[in-house]
Amino acid sequence: MTDLLWQKPGVKLDARIQQFCAGDDVILDREFFLFDIQASAAHAEGLQRIGILDAAELAGIVRELDALARDFTAGEFVLDDRYEDGHSAIEARLVERLGDAGRRIHTGRSRNDQVLVATRLWLKDRLTRLLASCRQAAAVALDRTEAEASLPLPGYTHLQRAVVSSAGMWWSAWAEAFIDDAARARDTLAWVDANPLGSAAGYGVNLPLDRDHTTQALGFGRMQVSATYAQLSRGKFELAAIEALSSAMLDLRRLAWDLSLFTSAEFGYVALPAQYTTGSSIMPNKRNPDVIELMRASYASVAAGRAEIEQLLSLPSGYHRDLQFSKGAIFHAFGRGLGALELLPDLLRNLEWKPEAMRAALEPSMYATDLAIDLARDGMPFRDAYRQAADPARWAEGDPMDSLAARVSPGAAGDLRLGVLRGRLAALAGDRSTETSSRT
């Protein structure tokens, strides 16, 4: 391992203790390394603006940071146990290539604000991807709502056949769910879009750091003003990001449950694309819906990450080494969660309904609620209408298309109000010109 940044003369290191403290940090830092390099370049620019670096030193640092990023991306530089972490690897590379100019890069910063800004940039990237995945899933669901608005589908409560529903109502439910999830991702992204670089170890430094410049250079929406709050926000912002992810993952889990049921032989309503299934290792007849089952399971990793960070935050103010573990929590949560969500739009686009099986599952009892409402609309008190409609002797085969068309309450099959949902989706893309209060 290279010399430790904090190593003092006369202090003997215990390899076991050092291994325990380092843990898998250097491996996890591969995930954040390019963002750490990006932030180091902005920090160097800030140091040049206040006279710590001259123009030639800045040019050399930026050049070597760019080269390091290229080498890392190409696999020519490996972040491994030669280094304590990614931060020390960056500094070691700059010192190796530039000498004293490399030794100046850490002026005015701590590894505390260095990891804060790298993970903050990473969170912004992941929340942007989360927003995009939710928007795409919602867009596919809306398109299929329009195409299949009148395709009859049994509606269930308590997993019992209840009323006539439609594929359109099923799709519109997921469309609005993922629109809400996208809105939450957008709002969380705006909330975490705050630059902690320049807060050092949480108490500032005796240099006029140009934090406004680094905020702009790194594309942050605002500066996180209080140096001490920057440290307090570690974990808090990560937790908010995971909560935005978990909102979408809860919807994905329930959608995956629907598809698990609908693709079973007992329901038989849906056929999955072949690439979303796998075969059995022993039963030649089997095609298993492994992808949707793993989508359903992925929420567990998100929930675990959330629980780990929440437990880490039982701390007083200031920095504590406990927070090192927050990197693994967000990495695993977003790794599993985004991996599942980014497969979802194509799955929704390509699944196929089996209309014959869906219609065959409609039975006379499923029109009883329509009968009760019709009797009440004609003047009978609803409780009396309810009792009459509960009599199996009054049940009869109905026309599912008529039942759906008669469901005219807002949001039901006869009044899906897709224009409203499309307006909300367009607003998430920043295009408010198509936002509408259309009642179609």
Side-chain angles (χ1 to χ4, degrees), residues 396-414:
E397 291 288 348
D399 185 330
M401 304 302 291
D402 289 344
S403 177
L404 294 172
R407 216 80 56 73
V408 293
S409 58

Side-chain angles (χ1 to χ4, degrees), residues 310-325:
E310 188 172 37
Q311 295 306 313
L312 288 174
L313 293 183
S314 179
L315 295 168
S317 64
Y319 174 74
H320 306 273
R321 190 67 179 265
D322 311 51
L323 294 168
Q324 176 176 306
F325 287 169

Side-chain angles (χ1 to χ4, degrees), residues 108-277:
R109 75 175 177 183
S110 165
R111 285 194 298 179
N112 295 351
D113 65 334
Q114 194 173 354
V115 69
L116 265 171
V117 70
T119 54
R120 194 69 52 83
L121 290 168
W122 185 91
L123 285 173
K124 286 181 58 179
D125 176 81
R126 272 28 183 201
L127 287 167
T128 299
R129 287 171 54 186
L130 173 61
L131 171 57
S133 292
C134 291
R135 288 184 60 244
Q136 291 169 24
V140 173
L142 277 175
D143 288 344
R144 295 206 64 167
T145 301
E146 288 186 330
E148 298 159 352
S150 300
L151 177 62
L153 172 71
Y156 293 86
T157 66
H158 309 277
L159 278 180
Q160 308 298 312
R161 295 175 186 174
V163 296
V164 177
S165 185
S166 67
M169 290 198 69
W170 189 85
W171 284 119
S172 67
W174 299 120
E176 189 164 9
F178 285 108
I179 288 170
D180 279 353
D181 295 331
R184 188 168 185 183
R186 176 202 59 193
D187 293 345
T188 304
L189 175 58
W191 192 62
V192 305
D193 192 13
N195 176 28
L197 184 60
S199 60
Y203 302 99
V205 294
N206 51 332
L207 288 170
L209 298 176
D210 194 344
R211 297 192 65 204
D212 291 313
H213 169 76
T214 57
T215 298
Q216 183 176 16
L218 292 171
F220 282 105
R222 69 186 186 282
M223 180 200 304
Q224 200 163 15
V225 176
S226 169
T228 302
Y229 176 59
Q231 286 302 319
L232 285 173
S233 70
R234 188 173 181 191
K236 177 181 176 180
F237 280 31
E238 284 85 343
L239 188 60
I242 290 182
E243 286 173 343
L245 173 64
S246 69
S247 178
M249 292 302 295
L250 281 169
D251 285 322
L252 176 57
R253 182 166 69 172
R254 298 187 76 177
L255 190 155
W257 250 121
D258 273 8
L259 294 180
S260 294
L261 293 171
F262 289 173
T263 55
S264 69
E266 283 68 22
F267 284 73
Y269 300 162
V270 168
L272 295 176
Q275 63 269 32
Y276 287 87
T277 65

Side-chain angles (χ1 to χ4, degrees), residues 4-13:
L4 301 174
L5 297 177
W6 47 267
Q7 193 168 348
K8 311 293 193 300
V11 177
K12 183 180 179 180
L13 296 178

Side-chain angles (χ1 to χ4, degrees), residues 312-361:
L312 288 174
L313 293 183
S314 179
L315 295 168
S317 64
Y319 174 74
H320 306 273
R321 190 67 179 265
D322 311 51
L323 294 168
Q324 176 176 306
F325 287 169
S326 66
K327 286 191 290 188
I330 59 173
F331 169 70
H332 293 299
F334 274 89
R336 287 272 175 84
L338 279 180
L341 283 166
E342 289 178 339
L343 289 175
L344 181 61
D346 277 344
L347 171 62
L348 297 182
R349 191 177 290 114
N350 292 302
L351 68 83
E352 296 180 6
W353 295 109
K354 296 182 177 179
E356 298 82 4
M358 293 151 64
R359 278 184 173 268

